Amino acid sequence: MWEWMAWTTPVAVFFTCIVLMLVGMTVWEIKSPTTLRKGWLPIATTRGDRLFIGLLTAAYINLAWVGLGEKMVEWFSLEAEPSVWISFVLSMLALALVMRKG
């Protein structure tokens, strides 16, 4: 069933983090219902909205990193493609920023 997916350690960690975030957000929402607030995003959002926007941002960062990996080898004269762990850290920082300030 999962043969099509390349289950490497970074992929497994990424999806595990998403599942843990969804579980954590569900518990948080049950304990303390959210209200709309306006941050630097152009719309008023709830915690769930910011999580969704942050997850989309994280996915796009990871896709861009993987897509530009070969080009980065040329641009920066690297010997190998940069590690996907770098994009994982960048995407989680972007997610945290959206959740906190968005």
Side-chain angles (χ1 to χ4, degrees):
M1 178 173 153
W2 299 100
E3 294 84 26
W4 61 273
M5 184 76 176
W7 282 103
T8 61
T9 302
V11 171
V13 169
F14 183 77
F15 281 105
T16 301
C17 286
I18 289 174
V19 169
L20 291 174
M21 278 187 280
L22 291 173
V23 169
M25 288 292 289
T26 301
V27 170
W28 191 8
E29 186 66 28
I30 291 169
K31 295 280 186 186
S32 170
T34 188
T35 58
L36 285 174
R37 77 170 170 91
K38 180 87 168 78
W40 53 264
L41 292 171
I43 57 174
T45 59
T46 64
R47 283 189 297 252
D49 297 334
R50 290 188 299 278
L51 177 65
F52 180 72
I53 293 167
L55 287 174
L56 283 177
T57 303
Y60 289 133
I61 289 170
N62 281 296
L63 286 173
W65 189 269
V66 170
L68 293 173
E70 290 181 15
K71 292 288 185 189
M72 283 192 258
V73 170
E74 294 174 20
W75 294 339
F76 304 117
S77 302
L78 303 173
E79 294 182 16
E81 289 184 18
S83 173
V84 293
W85 287 109
I86 298 169
S87 68
F88 175 74
V89 170
L90 291 174
S91 66
M92 290 300 106
L93 289 173
L95 174 63
L97 179 67
V98 169
M99 288 297 295
R100 181 78 176 143
K101 300 289 184 183

